[in-house]
Amino acid sequence: GDSSRNNKITVYGDVKALVDSNNKPYINFDGSGDYLRIPHPSSLSNFRFENSDFTVEFFGDFSAATGTGQICGIWWDTTRYGFSWEINIGTSDWGLLYSTTGANGVSVDSLDSNYSIKKNKLTHYAICRTAGNFYLFADGIRLRTVSVGTASLYNTDNNRLFEIGREAAGNYNYLNGKIYSMRVTKGIARYTEDFNVDLTNPYFPKK
């Protein structure tokens, strides 16, 4: 089901809710100590994907990025097996990092000759998994299909919580950019082929 609903969020740093020039609200991360956390371990099952189908998608503008920033994930530490998955975005590319052991990561990077991060442009990003494949999309265009077979994303302990806007491992890679909305769906891969995106309404439907 849709994991983005009915989760309480704790705000850290100077995260701000702002409105853009088109009167569309967004959450602003300034790259310096700002992040969000879903604080309750009882919510973790929504974000522990293991080998389930899933979709993580978000509307954002990351023109201000000067380096790598974490969009979201469960990515804490190696000594306590705290790595599961995270989505990162940089100045030119974005992608997924995941771990099957809790202690090391495998990169699934979207960078190729056909795509780079668009400056000053609202973009819809999506990563899905189904039938042993990861699918990466930007604005409804499939960028890559990566086979991972039956690999299971590591199931961390209850102290490793889901965060948006920073990499908890080392307390760094703070996000510098705007997120208009985000939806995490466990159990469903919403996209496997190209699809249409309405950038005039960068929000997901409410149930």
Side-chain angles (χ1 to χ4, degrees):
D2 190 346
S3 306
S4 304
R5 316 247 175 244
N6 302 318
N7 289 295
K8 293 182 179 179
I9 295 176
T10 303
V11 178
Y12 295 86
D14 194 30
V15 179
K16 287 186 171 67
L18 301 174
V19 176
D20 70 12
S21 59
N22 294 312
N23 204 35
K24 297 185 185 301
Y26 65 89
I27 302 298
N28 189 70
F29 299 82
D30 66 10
S32 179
D34 297 353
Y35 65 102
L36 306 175
R37 175 186 292 171
I38 294 180
H40 300 294
S42 60
S43 298
L44 268 175
S45 61
N46 295 326
F47 306 99
R48 288 171 168 164
F49 298 141
E50 299 179 83
N51 58 6
S52 299
D53 291 357
F54 69 83
T55 304
V56 180
E57 55 186 321
F58 50 96
F59 288 90
D61 180 348
F62 305 102
S63 303
T66 56
T68 300
Q70 179 181 281
I71 300 296
C72 64
I74 303 173
W75 200 261
W76 283 74
D77 50 48
T78 57
T79 56
R80 297 182 182 178
Y81 298 96
F83 291 168
S84 182
W85 64 273
E86 66 172 347
I87 297 172
N88 286 327
I89 198 157
T91 57
S92 62
D93 67 316
W94 69 286
L96 174 73
L97 196 64
Y98 72 94
S99 176
T100 59
T101 67
N104 68 331
V106 178
S107 178
V108 178
D109 197 332
S110 70
L111 182 62
D112 63 16
S113 60
N114 297 318
Y115 186 81
S116 60
I117 299 297
K118 304 298 190 296
K119 298 297 183 183
N120 300 308
K121 180 183 181 299
L122 176 65
T123 302
H124 175 270
Y125 300 89
I127 296 181
C128 305
R129 180 183 183 172
T130 190
N133 292 318
F134 285 124
Y135 299 91
L136 285 75
F137 298 87
D139 284 346
I141 303 301
R142 189 173 67 186
L143 305 176
R144 289 195 68 188
T145 301
V146 181
S147 176
V148 291
T150 60
S152 181
L153 280 59
Y154 190 73
N155 190 4
T156 57
D157 68 37
N158 286 343
N159 293 316
R160 308 295 176 260
L161 301 175
F162 176 79
E163 292 190 343
I164 300 170
R166 75 153 187 176
E167 185 175 290
N171 191 30
Y172 75 131
N173 279 351
Y174 285 96
L175 179 65
N176 193 346
K178 307 171 184 178
I179 294 179
Y180 286 72
S181 62
M182 177 180 292
R183 179 167 63 179
V184 180
T185 310
K186 182 178 178 180
I188 300 173
R190 294 182 180 272
Y191 319 109
T192 57
E193 303 293 341
D194 291 0
F195 58 96
N196 294 323
V197 174
D198 181 6
L199 293 175
T200 67
N201 182 31
Y203 309 102
F204 299 104
K206 295 181 180 180
K207 290 185 176 180

